[in-house]
Coordinates of all heavy atoms in Angstrom, one line a residue:
M1 N -12.4 -13.1 3.3 CA -11.8 -11.9 2.7 C -11.4 -10.9 3.8 O -12.2 -10.8 4.8 CB -12.8 -11.3 1.8 CG -12.2 -10.2 0.9 SD -13.3 -9.4 -0.2 CE -13.2 -10.6 -1.6
K2 N -10.3 -10.3 3.7 CA -9.8 -9.3 4.7 C -10.4 -8.0 4.4 O -10.5 -7.5 3.3 CB -8.3 -9.2 4.5 CG -7.6 -8.7 5.8 CD -6.1 -8.8 5.6 CE -5.4 -8.2 6.7 NZ -4.0 -8.2 6.5
F3 N -10.9 -7.3 5.5 CA -11.5 -6.0 5.4 C -10.7 -5.0 6.1 O -10.2 -5.2 7.2 CB -13.0 -6.0 5.9 CG -13.9 -6.7 4.9 CD1 -14.4 -8.0 5.2 CD2 -14.4 -6.0 3.8 CE1 -15.2 -8.6 4.3 CE2 -15.3 -6.7 2.9 CZ -15.7 -7.9 3.2
Y4 N -10.7 -3.8 5.5 CA -10.1 -2.7 6.2 C -11.2 -1.8 6.7 O -12.0 -1.3 5.8 CB -9.1 -1.9 5.2 CG -8.0 -2.8 4.8 CD1 -8.1 -3.6 3.7 CD2 -6.8 -2.7 5.5 CE1 -7.0 -4.4 3.3 CE2 -5.7 -3.5 5.1 CZ -5.8 -4.3 4.0 OH -4.8 -5.1 3.7
V5 N -11.4 -1.7 8.0 CA -12.6 -1.0 8.5 C -12.2 0.4 8.9 O -11.2 0.6 9.6 CB -13.2 -1.7 9.7 CG1 -14.4 -1.0 10.2 CG2 -13.6 -3.1 9.3
C6 N -12.9 1.4 8.4 CA -12.7 2.8 8.7 C -13.0 3.0 10.2 O -14.2 2.7 10.6 CB -13.5 3.7 7.8 SG -13.3 5.4 8.2
K7 N -12.1 3.6 10.9 CA -12.3 3.8 12.4 C -13.3 5.0 12.6 O -13.9 5.1 13.6 CB -11.0 4.1 13.1 CG -10.2 2.8 13.4 CD -8.8 3.2 14.0 CE -7.9 2.0 13.9 NZ -6.6 2.4 13.4
D8 N -13.4 5.8 11.6 CA -14.2 7.0 11.7 C -15.7 6.8 11.4 O -16.6 7.3 12.0 CB -13.7 8.2 10.8 CG -12.4 8.7 11.4 OD1 -11.9 8.2 12.4 OD2 -11.9 9.7 10.8
C9 N -16.0 5.9 10.4 CA -17.4 5.7 10.0 C -17.8 4.3 9.9 O -18.9 4.0 9.6 CB -17.7 6.5 8.7 SG -16.9 5.8 7.3
G10 N -16.8 3.4 10.1 CA -17.1 1.9 10.1 C -17.3 1.3 8.7 O -17.6 0.2 8.6
Y11 N -17.0 2.1 7.7 CA -17.1 1.6 6.3 C -16.0 0.6 6.0 O -14.9 0.8 6.4 CB -17.0 2.8 5.4 CG -17.4 2.5 4.0 CD1 -18.8 2.6 3.6 CD2 -16.5 2.1 3.0 CE1 -19.2 2.3 2.3 CE2 -16.9 1.8 1.7 CZ -18.2 1.9 1.4 OH -18.6 1.6 0.1
E12 N -16.4 -0.5 5.4 CA -15.5 -1.6 5.1 C -14.9 -1.5 3.7 O -15.7 -1.3 2.8 CB -16.2 -3.0 5.4 CG -16.4 -3.3 6.8 CD -17.1 -4.6 7.0 OE1 -17.7 -5.1 6.1 OE2 -17.1 -5.1 8.2
H13 N -13.7 -1.8 3.6 CA -13.0 -1.7 2.3 C -12.3 -3.0 2.1 O -11.8 -3.6 3.0 CB -12.0 -0.6 2.2 CG -12.6 0.7 2.6 ND1 -12.8 1.1 3.9 CD2 -13.0 1.8 1.8 CE1 -13.3 2.3 3.9 NE2 -13.4 2.7 2.7
T14 N -12.2 -3.5 0.8 CA -11.6 -4.8 0.5 C -10.1 -4.6 0.2 O -9.4 -5.6 0.2 CB -12.3 -5.5 -0.6 OG1 -12.4 -4.5 -1.7 CG2 -13.7 -5.9 -0.2
S15 N -9.7 -3.4 0.0 CA -8.2 -3.3 -0.3 C -7.7 -2.0 0.4 O -8.4 -1.0 0.6 CB -7.9 -3.2 -1.8 OG -7.8 -1.9 -2.2
I16 N -6.4 -2.1 0.8 CA -5.8 -1.0 1.5 C -5.7 0.3 0.7 O -5.9 1.4 1.2 CB -4.3 -1.4 2.0 CG1 -3.7 -0.3 2.9 CG2 -3.4 -1.7 0.8 CD1 -4.3 -0.3 4.3
V17 N -5.6 0.1 -0.6 CA -5.6 1.3 -1.5 C -6.9 2.0 -1.5 O -7.0 3.3 -1.4 CB -5.2 0.9 -3.0 CG1 -5.2 2.1 -3.9 CG2 -3.8 0.2 -2.9
V18 N -8.0 1.2 -1.6 CA -9.3 1.8 -1.6 C -9.6 2.5 -0.2 O -10.2 3.6 -0.1 CB -10.4 0.8 -1.9 CG1 -11.8 1.3 -1.8 CG2 -10.2 0.1 -3.2
Y19 N -9.1 1.8 0.8 CA -9.3 2.4 2.2 C -8.6 3.7 2.3 O -9.2 4.7 2.9 CB -8.7 1.4 3.2 CG -8.6 1.9 4.6 CD1 -9.8 2.2 5.3 CD2 -7.4 2.1 5.2 CE1 -9.7 2.7 6.6 CE2 -7.3 2.6 6.5 CZ -8.4 2.9 7.2 OH -8.3 3.3 8.5
Q20 N -7.4 3.8 1.8 CA -6.6 5.0 1.9 C -7.3 6.1 1.1 O -7.3 7.3 1.5 CB -5.2 4.8 1.5 CG -4.4 4.0 2.5 CD -3.0 3.7 2.1 OE1 -2.7 3.7 0.9 NE2 -2.2 3.3 3.0
R21 N -7.8 5.8 0.0 CA -8.5 6.7 -0.9 C -9.8 7.3 -0.1 O -10.1 8.4 -0.2 CB -8.9 6.0 -2.2 CG -8.7 6.9 -3.4 CD -9.0 6.1 -4.7 NE -7.8 5.4 -5.1 CZ -7.8 4.3 -5.9 NH1 -9.0 3.8 -6.3 NH2 -6.7 3.7 -6.3
H22 N -10.5 6.4 0.5 CA -11.6 6.7 1.3 C -11.2 7.7 2.4 O -11.9 8.7 2.6 CB -12.3 5.5 1.9 CG -13.3 5.7 3.0 ND1 -14.6 5.9 2.8 CD2 -13.1 5.9 4.4 CE1 -15.2 6.2 4.0 NE2 -14.3 6.1 4.9
M23 N -10.2 7.4 3.2 CA -9.7 8.3 4.3 C -9.4 9.7 3.8 O -9.8 10.7 4.4 CB -8.5 7.7 4.9 CG -8.7 6.4 5.8 SD -10.1 6.6 7.0 CE -9.2 7.4 8.3
K24 N -8.8 9.8 2.6 CA -8.4 11.0 2.1 C -9.6 11.8 1.6 O -9.8 13.0 1.8 CB -7.4 10.8 0.9 CG -6.5 12.0 0.7 CD -5.4 11.8 -0.3 CE -4.6 13.0 -0.5 NZ -3.7 12.8 -1.6
A25 N -10.5 11.1 0.8 CA -11.6 11.7 0.2 C -12.7 12.1 1.2 O -13.3 13.2 1.1 CB -12.2 10.8 -0.9
V26 N -13.0 11.2 2.1 CA -14.2 11.4 3.0 C -13.8 12.1 4.3 O -14.4 13.0 4.8 CB -14.8 10.0 3.4 CG1 -16.0 10.2 4.3 CG2 -15.3 9.3 2.1
H27 N -12.6 11.7 4.9 CA -12.2 12.3 6.2 C -11.0 13.2 6.1 O -10.6 13.7 7.1 CB -11.9 11.2 7.1 CG -13.0 10.2 7.3 ND1 -14.3 10.5 7.8 CD2 -13.1 8.9 6.9 CE1 -15.0 9.4 7.7 NE2 -14.4 8.4 7.2
N28 N -10.5 13.4 4.9 CA -9.4 14.3 4.6 C -8.2 13.9 5.5 O -7.5 14.8 6.0 CB -9.8 15.8 4.9 CG -8.9 16.7 4.2 OD1 -8.3 16.4 3.2 ND2 -8.8 17.9 4.8
K29 N -7.9 12.6 5.6 CA -6.8 12.2 6.3 C -5.8 11.5 5.4 O -6.1 10.7 4.6 CB -7.2 11.1 7.4 CG -7.8 11.8 8.6 CD -8.2 10.7 9.6 CE -8.9 11.4 10.8 NZ -9.5 10.4 11.7
V30 N -4.5 11.9 5.6 CA -3.5 11.4 4.7 C -3.0 10.1 5.4 O -2.6 10.0 6.5 CB -2.3 12.4 4.5 CG1 -1.2 11.8 3.7 CG2 -2.9 13.7 3.9
P31 N -2.9 9.0 4.6 CA -2.4 7.7 5.2 C -1.0 7.7 5.5 O -0.2 8.4 4.8 CB -2.7 6.7 4.1 CG -2.7 7.5 2.8 CD -3.2 8.9 3.2
I32 N -0.6 7.0 6.6 CA 0.8 6.9 6.9 C 1.2 5.5 6.4 O 0.7 4.5 6.8 CB 1.0 7.0 8.4 CG1 0.5 8.3 9.0 CG2 2.5 6.8 8.8 CD1 1.3 9.6 8.6
N33 N 2.2 5.5 5.5 CA 2.7 4.2 5.0 C 4.0 3.8 5.7 O 4.9 4.7 5.7 CB 2.8 4.2 3.5 CG 1.5 4.4 2.8 OD1 0.6 3.6 3.0 ND2 1.4 5.5 2.0
T34 N 4.1 2.6 6.2 CA 5.4 2.2 6.7 C 6.1 1.3 5.7 O 5.5 0.3 5.2 CB 5.2 1.4 8.0 OG1 4.4 2.3 8.9 CG2 6.5 1.1 8.7
C35 N 7.3 1.6 5.4 CA 8.1 0.8 4.4 C 8.4 -0.5 5.1 O 9.0 -0.5 6.2 CB 9.4 1.5 4.0 SG 10.4 0.5 2.9
K36 N 8.0 -1.6 4.5 CA 8.3 -2.9 5.0 C 9.8 -3.3 4.9 O 10.2 -4.2 5.6 CB 7.4 -4.0 4.3 CG 6.0 -3.9 4.6 CD 5.6 -5.0 5.6 CE 4.2 -4.8 6.2 NZ 3.1 -5.1 5.2
I37 N 10.5 -2.6 4.1 CA 11.9 -3.0 3.9 C 12.8 -2.3 4.9 O 13.7 -2.9 5.5 CB 12.3 -2.6 2.4 CG1 11.4 -3.4 1.4 CG2 13.8 -3.0 2.2 CD1 11.4 -2.8 0.0
C38 N 12.6 -1.0 5.1 CA 13.5 -0.3 6.0 C 12.7 0.4 7.2 O 13.4 1.1 8.0 CB 14.3 0.8 5.3 SG 13.3 2.1 4.6
S39 N 11.4 0.2 7.4 CA 10.6 0.7 8.5 C 10.5 2.2 8.6 O 10.0 2.7 9.6 CB 11.2 0.1 9.8 OG 11.2 -1.3 9.8
E40 N 10.8 2.9 7.5 CA 10.6 4.3 7.5 C 9.1 4.6 7.3 O 8.5 3.8 6.7 CB 11.4 5.0 6.4 CG 12.7 5.7 6.9 CD 13.3 6.5 5.8 OE1 12.8 7.7 5.6 OE2 14.2 6.0 5.2
K41 N 8.7 5.7 7.8 CA 7.3 6.1 7.7 C 7.1 7.3 6.7 O 7.9 8.2 6.7 CB 6.7 6.4 9.1 CG 6.4 5.2 9.9 CD 5.8 5.6 11.2 CE 5.3 4.3 12.0 NZ 6.5 3.6 12.5
F42 N 6.0 7.2 6.0 CA 5.7 8.2 5.0 C 4.3 8.7 5.0 O 3.4 7.9 5.1 CB 6.1 7.7 3.6 CG 7.5 7.3 3.4 CD1 7.9 6.0 3.7 CD2 8.5 8.2 3.1 CE1 9.2 5.6 3.7 CE2 9.8 7.9 3.0 CZ 10.2 6.6 3.3
K43 N 4.1 10.0 4.9 CA 2.8 10.6 4.8 C 2.3 10.6 3.4 O 3.0 11.2 2.5 CB 2.8 12.0 5.3 CG 2.3 12.2 6.7 CD 2.1 13.6 7.0 CE 1.6 13.8 8.5 NZ 1.5 15.2 8.8
G44 N 1.2 9.9 3.1 CA 0.7 9.9 1.7 C 1.3 8.9 0.8 O 2.4 8.4 1.1
N45 N 0.6 8.6 -0.2 CA 1.1 7.5 -1.1 C 2.2 8.0 -2.1 O 3.0 7.2 -2.4 CB -0.1 7.0 -2.0 CG -1.2 6.4 -1.1 OD1 -1.0 6.1 0.1 ND2 -2.4 6.3 -1.6
D46 N 2.2 9.2 -2.4 CA 3.2 9.7 -3.4 C 4.6 9.6 -2.8 O 5.5 9.1 -3.5 CB 2.9 11.2 -3.8 CG 1.6 11.3 -4.6 OD1 1.1 10.2 -5.0 OD2 1.1 12.4 -4.8
E47 N 4.8 10.1 -1.6 CA 6.1 10.0 -0.9 C 6.6 8.6 -0.8 O 7.7 8.3 -1.0 CB 6.0 10.7 0.5 CG 5.8 12.2 0.5 CD 7.1 12.9 -0.2 OE1 8.2 12.6 0.3 OE2 6.9 13.6 -1.1
F48 N 5.6 7.7 -0.4 CA 6.0 6.3 -0.3 C 6.4 5.7 -1.6 O 7.4 5.0 -1.7 CB 4.8 5.6 0.3 CG 5.0 4.2 0.7 CD1 6.2 3.8 1.4 CD2 4.1 3.2 0.3 CE1 6.4 2.5 1.7 CE2 4.4 1.8 0.7 CZ 5.5 1.5 1.3
D49 N 5.6 6.0 -2.6 CA 5.9 5.6 -4.0 C 7.3 5.9 -4.4 O 8.1 5.1 -4.9 CB 4.9 6.2 -4.9 CG 4.0 5.2 -5.5 OD1 4.1 4.0 -5.2 OD2 3.1 5.5 -6.4
K50 N 7.6 7.2 -4.2 CA 8.9 7.7 -4.6 C 10.0 7.0 -3.8 O 11.1 6.7 -4.4 CB 9.0 9.2 -4.3 CG 8.5 10.1 -5.4 CD 8.6 11.6 -5.1 CE 7.5 12.3 -5.7 NZ 7.2 13.6 -5.0
H51 N 9.8 6.8 -2.5 CA 10.8 6.2 -1.7 C 11.1 4.8 -2.2 O 12.2 4.3 -2.3 CB 10.3 6.1 -0.2 CG 11.1 5.2 0.7 ND1 12.3 5.6 1.2 CD2 10.9 3.9 1.1 CE1 12.8 4.5 1.9 NE2 11.9 3.5 1.8
L52 N 10.0 4.0 -2.4 CA 10.1 2.6 -2.9 C 10.9 2.6 -4.2 O 11.8 1.8 -4.4 CB 8.8 2.0 -3.1 CG 8.1 1.5 -1.9 CD1 6.7 1.0 -2.3 CD2 8.8 0.4 -1.2
Q53 N 10.6 3.6 -5.1 CA 11.2 3.6 -6.4 C 12.7 3.9 -6.3 O 13.6 3.3 -6.9 CB 10.5 4.6 -7.3 CG 9.9 4.0 -8.5 CD 9.0 5.0 -9.2 OE1 9.4 6.1 -9.6 NE2 7.7 4.7 -9.4
F54 N 13.0 5.0 -5.6 CA 14.4 5.5 -5.6 C 15.3 4.8 -4.6 O 16.5 4.7 -4.8 CB 14.4 7.0 -5.4 CG 13.8 7.8 -6.5 CD1 12.6 8.4 -6.4 CD2 14.4 7.8 -7.8 CE1 12.0 9.1 -7.4 CE2 13.8 8.4 -8.8 CZ 12.6 9.1 -8.7
T55 N 14.7 4.4 -3.4 CA 15.6 3.8 -2.4 C 15.7 2.3 -2.6 O 16.8 1.7 -2.4 CB 15.0 4.1 -1.0 OG1 14.8 5.5 -0.9 CG2 16.0 3.6 0.1
H56 N 14.6 1.6 -3.0 CA 14.6 0.2 -3.1 C 14.5 -0.4 -4.5 O 14.5 -1.6 -4.7 CB 13.5 -0.4 -2.2 CG 13.6 0.0 -0.8 ND1 14.7 -0.2 0.0 CD2 12.8 0.7 0.0 CE1 14.5 0.3 1.2 NE2 13.4 0.8 1.2
G57 N 14.3 0.6 -5.5 CA 14.2 0.1 -6.9 C 13.0 -0.7 -7.2 O 13.0 -1.4 -8.2
T58 N 11.9 -0.5 -6.4 CA 10.7 -1.1 -6.7 C 9.6 -0.1 -6.8 O 9.8 1.1 -6.4 CB 10.3 -2.2 -5.7 OG1 9.1 -2.9 -6.1 CG2 10.1 -1.6 -4.3
N59 N 8.5 -0.4 -7.4 CA 7.5 0.8 -7.7 C 6.2 0.8 -6.9 O 5.4 1.7 -7.1 CB 7.3 1.0 -9.1 CG 6.8 -0.3 -9.8 OD1 6.6 -1.3 -9.2 ND2 6.7 -0.2 -11.1
H60 N 5.9 -0.2 -6.1 CA 4.6 -0.1 -5.4 C 4.4 -1.1 -4.3 O 4.6 -2.3 -4.4 CB 3.4 -0.3 -6.4 CG 2.4 0.8 -6.3 ND1 1.5 0.8 -5.3 CD2 2.2 2.0 -6.9 CE1 0.7 1.9 -5.4 NE2 1.2 2.6 -6.4
W61 N 4.0 -0.6 -3.1 CA 3.3 -1.3 -2.1 C 3.8 -2.8 -1.8 O 4.2 -3.5 -2.7 CB 1.8 -1.4 -2.5 CG 1.3 -0.1 -2.8 CD1 1.0 0.3 -4.1 CD2 1.0 1.0 -2.0 NE1 0.5 1.6 -4.0 CE2 0.6 2.0 -2.8 CE3 1.1 1.1 -0.6 CZ2 0.2 3.2 -2.2 CZ3 0.8 2.3 -0.1 CH2 0.3 3.4 -0.9
D62 N 3.5 -3.2 -0.6 CA 3.9 -4.5 -0.2 C 3.0 -5.5 -0.9 O 3.4 -6.6 -1.3 CB 3.8 -4.7 1.3 CG 2.5 -4.1 1.9 OD1 2.1 -3.1 1.4 OD2 2.0 -4.7 2.9
L63 N 1.7 -5.1 -1.2 CA 0.8 -6.0 -2.0 C 1.4 -6.3 -3.3 O 1.4 -7.5 -3.7 CB -0.5 -5.3 -2.2 CG -1.7 -5.7 -1.2 CD1 -2.8 -4.8 -1.4 CD2 -2.1 -7.1 -1.6
N64 N 1.9 -5.3 -4.0 CA 2.5 -5.5 -5.3 C 3.8 -6.3 -5.2 O 4.1 -7.1 -6.1 CB 2.7 -4.2 -6.0 CG 1.4 -3.5 -6.4 OD1 0.3 -3.9 -5.9 ND2 1.4 -2.6 -7.3
L65 N 4.5 -6.1 -4.1 CA 5.8 -6.8 -3.9 C 5.4 -8.3 -3.8 O 6.1 -9.1 -4.4 CB 6.5 -6.4 -2.7 CG 7.2 -5.0 -2.7 CD1 7.8 -4.6 -1.4 CD2 8.3 -5.1 -3.8
A66 N 4.4 -8.6 -3.1 CA 3.9 -10.0 -2.9 C 3.5 -10.6 -4.2 O 3.8 -11.7 -4.6 CB 2.8 -10.1 -1.9
M67 N 2.8 -9.8 -5.0 CA 2.4 -10.2 -6.4 C 3.6 -10.5 -7.3 O 3.6 -11.5 -8.0 CB 1.5 -9.1 -7.0 CG 0.1 -9.2 -6.6 SD -0.7 -10.7 -7.0 CE -0.7 -10.7 -8.8
K68 N 4.6 -9.6 -7.2 CA 5.8 -9.8 -8.0 C 6.5 -11.1 -7.6 O 7.0 -11.8 -8.5 CB 6.7 -8.6 -7.8 CG 6.4 -7.5 -8.7 CD 7.4 -6.3 -8.6 CE 6.8 -5.1 -9.3 NZ 7.4 -3.9 -8.8
Q69 N 6.5 -11.4 -6.3 CA 7.1 -12.6 -5.8 C 6.4 -13.8 -6.4 O 7.0 -14.7 -6.9 CB 7.1 -12.6 -4.3 CG 7.9 -13.8 -3.7 CD 9.4 -13.7 -4.1 OE1 10.0 -12.7 -4.0 NE2 9.9 -14.8 -4.7
V70 N 5.1 -13.7 -6.4 CA 4.3 -14.8 -7.0 C 4.6 -15.0 -8.5 O 4.8 -16.1 -9.0 CB 2.7 -14.5 -6.8 CG1 1.9 -15.5 -7.6 CG2 2.4 -14.6 -5.3
L71 N 4.7 -13.8 -9.2 CA 5.0 -13.9 -10.6 C 6.3 -14.5 -10.9 O 6.6 -15.3 -11.8 CB 4.9 -12.5 -11.3 CG 3.4 -11.9 -11.4 CD1 3.5 -10.5 -11.8 CD2 2.6 -12.7 -12.4
R72 N 7.3 -14.1 -10.0 CA 8.7 -14.6 -10.1 C 8.7 -16.1 -9.9 O 9.3 -16.8 -10.6 CB 9.5 -13.9 -9.0 CG 10.7 -13.2 -9.6 CD 11.5 -12.5 -8.6 NE 11.1 -11.1 -8.4 CZ 11.0 -10.4 -7.3 NH1 11.3 -11.0 -6.2 NH2 10.6 -9.2 -7.3
D73 N 7.9 -16.6 -8.9 CA 7.8 -18.0 -8.6 C 7.2 -18.7 -9.8 O 7.6 -19.8 -10.1 CB 7.0 -18.2 -7.3 CG 7.8 -17.8 -6.1 OD1 9.0 -17.6 -6.2 OD2 7.2 -17.6 -5.0
M74 N 6.2 -18.1 -10.4 CA 5.5 -18.7 -11.5 C 6.5 -18.9 -12.7 O 6.5 -19.9 -13.4 CB 4.3 -17.9 -12.0 CG 3.1 -18.2 -11.1 SD 1.8 -16.9 -11.4 CE 1.1 -17.6 -12.9
K75 N 7.3 -17.8 -12.9 CA 8.3 -17.9 -14.0 C 9.3 -19.0 -13.8 O 9.8 -19.6 -14.7 CB 9.0 -16.5 -14.2 CG 8.2 -15.6 -15.0 CD 8.9 -14.2 -15.1 CE 7.9 -13.2 -15.7 NZ 8.3 -11.8 -15.4
K76 N 9.7 -19.2 -12.5 CA 10.6 -20.2 -12.2 C 10.1 -21.6 -12.6 O 10.9 -22.5 -12.9 CB 10.9 -20.2 -10.7 CG 12.1 -19.3 -10.3 CD 12.3 -19.3 -8.8 CE 12.9 -18.0 -8.3 NZ 12.7 -17.8 -6.9
L77 N 8.8 -21.8 -12.5 CA 8.2 -23.1 -12.8 C 8.2 -23.4 -14.3 O 8.2 -24.5 -14.7 CB 6.7 -23.1 -12.3 CG 6.6 -23.1 -10.8 CD1 5.1 -22.9 -10.4 CD2 7.1 -24.4 -10.2
D78 N 8.3 -22.3 -15.1 CA 8.3 -22.5 -16.6 C 9.6 -23.2 -17.1 O 10.6 -22.8 -16.7 CB 8.1 -21.2 -17.3 CG 6.7 -20.7 -17.3 OD1 5.8 -21.6 -17.2 OD2 6.5 -19.5 -17.3
Ligands
LIG101 ZN1 -14.8 6.5 6.9
LIG102 ZN1 12.3 1.8 2.7

């Protein structure tokens, strides 16, 4: 399993979303998200969400993009 380790306190998280939530709640740090599609950088999840929705017509994260691809592939098999 892949862990996201907090550089400030060493706490391990199993998902990037939980990790970012930890950074914001515990250390008051806003995550920087890099768009995998156009390489633009965004402060915080909301800005990134909006960017994905309005610029690329998708609604969440590279993780979700990967999941969508899996679902698409599954549908193709039907
Ligand atoms: Zn921490
Ligand atoms: Zn983008």
Side-chain angles (χ1 to χ4, degrees):
M1 193 179 275
K2 201 174 172 185
F3 285 100
Y4 296 88
V5 183
C6 176
K7 281 175 196 135
D8 289 5
C9 71
Y11 194 86
E12 288 177 346
H13 307 77
T14 50
S15 96
I16 188 75
V17 178
V18 177
Y19 171 66
Q20 289 177 338
R21 221 172 274 156
H22 165 91
M23 289 307 279
K24 206 174 176 187
V26 181
H27 307 295
N28 201 29
K29 281 181 185 169
V30 178
I32 303 291
N33 294 303
T34 306
C35 179
K36 287 256 167 76
I37 302 163
C38 68
S39 304
E40 255 192 85
K41 286 184 171 67
F42 300 90
K43 255 191 185 177
N45 298 344
D46 292 347
E47 287 296 305
F48 185 46
D49 247 1
K50 272 180 213 156
H51 168 79
L52 282 177
Q53 244 171 54
F54 294 111
T55 309
H56 304 300
T58 184
N59 56 3
H60 229 280
W61 313 105
D62 46 325
L63 257 168
N64 289 18
L65 285 175
M67 276 302 292
K68 274 182 192 158
Q69 189 58 54
V70 169
L71 288 171
R72 237 176 267 143
D73 290 344
M74 281 167 79
K75 273 177 193 160
K76 271 181 207 159
L77 293 171
D78 283 334

